Amino acid sequence: MILPIYIYGQPVLRKVAEDIAPDYPNLKELIANMFETMSNAEGVGLAAPQIGLSIRVVVIDLDVISDDYPEYKGFKKAFINPHILEVSGEEESMDEGCLSLPGIHESVKRGNKIHVTYLDENLVAHDEEVEGFLARVMQHEFDHLEGKMFIDHISALRKQMIKGKLNAMLKGKAHCTYRTKTVR
Ligand code: NI
């Protein structure tokens, strides 16, 4: 089922999301719906707050960009209760976008290596060092679980430049090809 995507201004996007219990009801169905919602909106990642749920569940699909990044062929995973323990490595800048911020793309600087813990969709625990593009996508998605969005990482000047677009979203104007839920 395709769910509406919550747009900038929705308070749930600014809340710190809670870990879920292993017996969280209908988890498999939720994950399937998140994959479907993300793929319909042509995203590579989606965090539960973006569908209005303040819980630590994220889906990432890098198979869709495996023409550019062959190492991610077949990479389609759900992450439950993820936590970033450390960001390290070299800082790199790259343009980012977000399904909750339609029409905005800005360069974001992030460390290229992270130490993460999470459960996979079979509830198996992982403790991993992740590098490269996946480390960036994870940081973007897991930020959503801390109530953060990528525009929090840009300069005051750049933020000023996109103010008009952000204000339009607050007024309920979000021009996308997918279903959205704005504050008004
Ligand atoms: Ni996002």
Side-chain angles (χ1 to χ4, degrees), residues 8-58:
Y8 175 80
Q10 286 281 5
V12 69
L13 295 172
R14 290 312 198 176
K15 280 171 69 178
V16 177
E18 305 269 349
D19 278 339
I20 60 167
D23 62 347
Y24 188 85
N26 307 318
L27 182 59
K28 293 260 181 227
E29 194 185 338
L30 170 69
I31 289 170
N33 288 342
M34 285 178 69
F35 272 119
E36 195 182 348
T37 301
M38 170 176 68
S39 129
N40 174 65
E42 297 181 358
V44 296
L46 186 73
Q50 295 180 276
I51 52 156
L53 295 175
S54 194
I55 55 171
R56 300 184 83 88
V57 179
V58 162

Side-chain angles (χ1 to χ4, degrees), residues 45-47 50 97-101 140-141 144 148-150:
L46 186 73
Q50 295 180 276
C98 179
L99 296 176
S100 295
L101 290 160
H140 176 118
E141 297 309 327
H144 279 298
K148 289 188 203 149
M149 302 180 88
F150 82 86

